[in-house]
Amino acid sequence: MKACDKQLDLLIIGAGPAGLSAADAAARESLDYLVVEKGLIADTVYHYPIGLTVFSTVNELELREDTLRPCREKPTREELLSYYVRFALDENLRINTEEEVTRIERTDAEGFRVRTTRAHYAASRVLVCTGAMARPRRLGVPGEDLPKVRHRFTEPFPYVRKDVLVVGGGNSAAEAALFLSEGGARPTFAIWPSDWENRDPKKGCIKHWVREPLEREIEEGRLRLFLFSEVEEIGETGVKIKDAEGSSHTIPNDAAFILIGSDADLTLLRDVGVRVEKSGLTELPVYDPETFETDVHGLYVAGHFTNSRHIKEAIAIPRRIVPVIAQSLRAAV
Ligand SMILES: Cc1cc2nc3c(=O)[nH]c(=O)nc-3n(C[C@H](O)[C@H](O)[C@H](O)COP(=O)(O)OP(=O)(O)OC[C@H]3O[C@@H](n4cnc5c(N)ncnc54)[C@H](O)[C@@H]3O)c2cc1C
């Protein structure tokens, strides 16, 4: 295990939009910083479905005004991913990829030791930007651990002419069902009636540009809509599922996608003493809404696992707080 002797000003955990924006701001403040990323640069975007067009507009996604230029109005996964990677390369951001942070420890009033799968680092400040994709939610039903069951969707091609069940209520599940239908699978989209009836963009309804082609697939008989109340069991060849009225059905099945959201892994924060509170279905670290500093002095949070959930805020918040962190470091000298 390599020990890094020098004390970094700022160690940033995660190289998603929040971590990239933080690294860019840290470089502009001339901080001695490092980003440690367990996967690849923009790993969450890398895991979006292949060929997906994202829903945000260009100005909400870019790290410098007028530098993201997709072929159509909104970028695809591929355009957005190569934009973030190119940005990190052009700005020569200091990012270690495929290195996971396993523990943050307080050393003294002005410092932390950060342990990773490859090294130990000493840092005066730590900014955690680890996103909210670590723990896909599970139905908790028998058969959910079968190899044919997935909690992420990336592409339709392995499922051509296969019976595929998609379970979920949001846009990601609807998009997966649509991609599978257009891609030649025989999908059943199992959705709770309240989610199917939800038309409110503020309450996470299916986006209209997904819903319209999805409804066309349903009308033309390529996609089966199943308003359900409960998945009872996933078997090798079939799934037992109750409809909205509570009657049980067994439908043929070769593969299943359970796309019901995901939660952040807040273990790193909890273990160093950050208070975590319940917020609806999920949990949030306690932090100052102005500075994003947690109740552990010198430890900050940004991005998807805070109340600022979208890429626009994941980029904007570090731009605001890194100069404040730089100021606090200068004041401490
Ligand atoms: C299919 C899909 C489409 C989406 N489309 C949009 C959209 O159009 N617009 C929008 O605003 N949002 C969209 N989102 C949500 C968007 O991806 C997130 O809001 C965004 O990625 C948040 O950025 P972030 O930097 O906070 O977190 P992330 O991008 O999730 O980055 C967190 C990073 O931290 C790394 N990490 C985690 N734990 C550790 C550890 N212990 N050590 C080191 N590294 C670690 C992860 O590997 C990851 O790279 C979409 C999400 C999905 C799944």
Side-chain angles (χ1 to χ4, degrees), residues 23 53 105 215:
T53 298
E105 291 161 357
E215 287 182 339

Side-chain angles (χ1 to χ4, degrees), residues 46 117 154 184 230 234 278:
Y46 173 69
T117 42
T154 47
E230 189 190 341
I234 303 171
K278 263 237 130 350

Side-chain angles (χ1 to χ4, degrees), residues 17-302:
L20 294 173
S21 170
D24 182 40
R28 286 167 169 238
E29 292 288 335
S30 305
L31 295 183
D32 190 357
Y33 76 92
L34 175 69
V35 183
V36 178
E37 162 58 52
K38 75 172 176 186
L40 306 175
I41 294 170
D43 201 65
T44 293
V45 178
Y46 173 69
H47 284 100
Y48 285 0
I50 292 167
L52 175 93
T53 298
V54 302
F55 59 78
S56 291
T57 50
V58 162
N59 63 316
E60 295 172 326
L61 302 166
E62 56 193 5
L63 287 153
R64 290 262 193 287
E65 209 178 315
D66 214 13
T67 52
L68 171 57
R69 300 201 180 99
C71 288
R72 303 211 172 107
E73 190 200 343
K74 294 180 180 183
T76 60
R77 163 207 180 252
E78 288 70 21
E79 287 172 322
L80 187 61
L81 182 59
S82 54
Y83 173 78
Y84 288 140
V85 171
R86 180 47 52 201
F87 183 86
L89 295 177
D90 288 349
E91 298 300 320
N92 201 17
L93 299 180
R94 289 180 218 141
I95 305 173
N96 288 359
T97 53
E98 298 179 281
E99 177 174 356
E100 181 172 357
V101 172
T102 52
R103 198 165 171 83
I104 308 168
E105 291 161 357
R106 205 95 253 149
T107 44
D108 56 47
E110 284 299 325
F112 296 90
R113 184 184 302 111
V114 177
R115 294 172 188 269
T116 76
T117 42
R118 285 200 233 142
H120 300 166
Y121 302 93
S124 302
R125 302 286 184 269
V126 174
L127 173 54
V128 180
C129 305
T130 45
M133 303 302 291
R135 295 190 168 157
R137 289 190 193 141
R138 297 171 58 87
L139 291 169
V141 299
E144 199 169 355
D145 289 324
L146 286 172
K148 68 173 189 175
V149 181
R150 302 260 184 281
H151 293 82
R152 252 181 181 169
F153 172 78
T154 47
E155 55 174 334
F157 307 107
Y159 307 100
V160 172
R161 289 190 171 150
K162 291 186 182 158
D163 293 308
V164 186
L165 177 71
V166 178
V167 180
N171 207 58
S172 291
E175 252 163 356
L178 176 62
F179 276 33
L180 284 160
S181 186
E182 289 177 339
R186 292 189 297 261
T188 298
F189 180 27
I191 180 168
W192 289 278
S194 55
D195 286 324
W196 183 245
E197 280 144 29
N198 176 17
R199 304 279 175 148
D200 184 352
K202 290 196 189 99
K203 290 188 182 143
C205 74
I206 299 170
K207 313 273 183 229
H208 70 85
W209 58 87
V210 177
R211 189 169 184 118
E212 282 159 23
L214 191 77
E215 287 182 339
R216 214 166 30 243
E217 292 298 301
I218 295 166
E219 271 162 33
E220 292 174 9
R222 287 183 291 275
L223 170 61
R224 177 181 181 195
L225 180 73
F226 192 101
L227 298 180
F228 84 113
S229 56
E230 189 190 341
V231 175
E232 298 176 274
E233 187 178 348
I234 303 171
E236 291 286 353
T237 57
V239 172
K240 254 179 96 181
I241 184 166
K242 279 188 183 159
D243 64 24
E245 282 74 45
S247 307
S248 200
H249 303 253
T250 298
I251 54 176
N253 182 257
D254 300 307
F257 290 93
I258 312 301
L259 306 174
I260 54 175
S262 65
D263 294 303
D265 181 353
L266 300 179
T267 311
L268 284 177
L269 292 173
R270 257 203 201 88
D271 287 354
V272 66
V274 173
R275 201 147 53 86
V276 167
E277 282 180 350
K278 263 237 130 350
S279 168
L281 275 182
T282 184
E283 289 182 323
L284 282 179
V286 174
Y287 61 90
D288 179 318
E290 276 306 304
T291 62
F292 284 67
E293 187 172 16
T294 64
D295 49 358
V296 172
H297 170 64
L299 194 121
Y300 297 76
V301 288

